Amino acid sequence: MPSLLVKNLSAVVTCDDGDRVLKNADLYCENGVLRAIGGTLPQSADEVIDGSHFWCYPGLVNTHHHLYQIFSRNLPQVQNLELFDWLTALYEIWKNLDSAVVRLSTLTGCGELMKHGCTTVFDHHYVFPAGAGDLMGVQFAAAEELGVRFHASRGSMDLSKKDGGLPPDSVVQTVDEIMKDSARCIEAYHDPAFGSMRQVALAPCSPFSVSSELLRQSAVLARQYGVRLHTHLAETRDEEQFTLERFHMRPLEYMASLGWTGPDVWYAHGIHFNKEELRELARTGTGIAHCPISNMKLSSGVAQIPEMLELGVPVGLAVDGSASNDGSSLMEELRVAYLLHRLRTSAAAPSGYDILKLATRGSARLLGRTDIGSLEVGKCADFFLVDSRRLELVGGGYDPASVLATVGLRGPVDMTVVNGKIVVRDGRLTAVDENSVAADAGRVCGEYLARA
Ligand SMILES: [Zn+2]
């Protein structure tokens, strides 16, 4: 039973129900689980770390990403396009993705997330070109290599350009093909147990790239297997116009009519909801993955996060795909989220600590996890450490609970621990050679872009 003891931590920001911040506390984990937290614990361990200059936080949980987009970021030709035109242009690149692109983009994107305190990653993968093989298996293998907790999605698209959708024919599938492979993915990879390192969600791409039948059948299948449902919603006004014209319903009403509300559903973005719709999200426990950087980059708008929190809508934080970010640091998202809502209001905007809670326990709730998201005895040993003596943090340490969102953290965290294992040490990934992963990824990315 591997064990880890961090002694005398300067601060442990637990994000528990009592919002406790413990000073001079020890933290002991065994077999992937937090067994004890408190002042001067009696335990010894396989590895003992001196925590006296470190602040300790629950691992960040990313609730929306498209890791494959790492290989199509910062492209000048799409820089000034808004969502629909941006997607149409990028599908010409994305239709060529294969298992090498998926493996290396998963390694690089998860690696960057882990170096910035993230311990659980959800990836919304929805591009499954014909003949590309078992891409979900490739993603889980890459995540396992790094040691990160991974939630994959069997995403899907069944409306191509000829049906009024945006993607080319080669990346869409029939509803039957999608349902069959969704069941296969869940049976092969989904582990619902406590401390699970692998979970699967069903995640059709968006209301404007899939049919009503695909959404309806996905909801039925997800509930048969007890897995969660995810898609993009209310990201732009274009989408609103699409559902109004086609179905004479606003986007949330349309999704609700297909079984897509409830505590097992979460949407990315959720920007253009009216007051009544926000109340409906709260009433049904339907969650929102807030992606502030992406929303700014694509001029999509500002999600009404203060109003959602006031009403009790479940909210988590996410980076979104790297083509609309253009990075994979959830840590950076903390500060951007904190500042973004202050553009509209000061008194009602979330505090720095509120934003940290969105990225930890809020995000864990969206993924349906009660075993991660806070530092409490009996929960998974997922956390990260920040050295409080860093030059850029001098003077900012009065309130360790808010500092990551207010002052912000430049550069990687000092240590990330997932399931009781050190996966980032001194700011570097422990399981892979970062330089060689980056070199391989750069080469494959170049070849992939050259094919478009
Ligand atoms: Zn997205």
Side-chain angles (χ1 to χ4, degrees), residues 186 201-202 217-229 264:
I186 297 167
L202 297 188
Q217 290 198 28
S218 295
V220 170
L221 189 72
R223 282 163 184 144
Q224 271 171 15
Y225 280 101
V227 302
R228 302 178 81 75
L229 286 163
D264 55 351

Side-chain angles (χ1 to χ4, degrees), residues 64-66 124 232 235 268-269 320-321:
H64 184 70
H65 205 327
H66 312 288
H124 185 185
H232 298 93
E235 182 175 2
H269 307 300
D320 199 4

Side-chain angles (χ1 to χ4, degrees), residues 207 233-234 239-240 243 249-262 265 267 272-274 276-282 284 286 288:
L233 199 72
E239 174 200 288
E240 197 173 297
T243 63
M249 285 184 263
R250 288 178 49 79
L252 184 62
E253 187 186 2
Y254 170 61
M255 295 303 283
S257 76
L258 300 167
W260 272 74
T261 47
V265 180
Y267 294 125
H272 301 286
F273 291 127
N274 60 32
E276 193 184 319
E277 289 163 344
L278 291 179
R279 279 193 291 272
E280 184 62 9
L281 293 172
T284 55
T286 309
I288 298 299

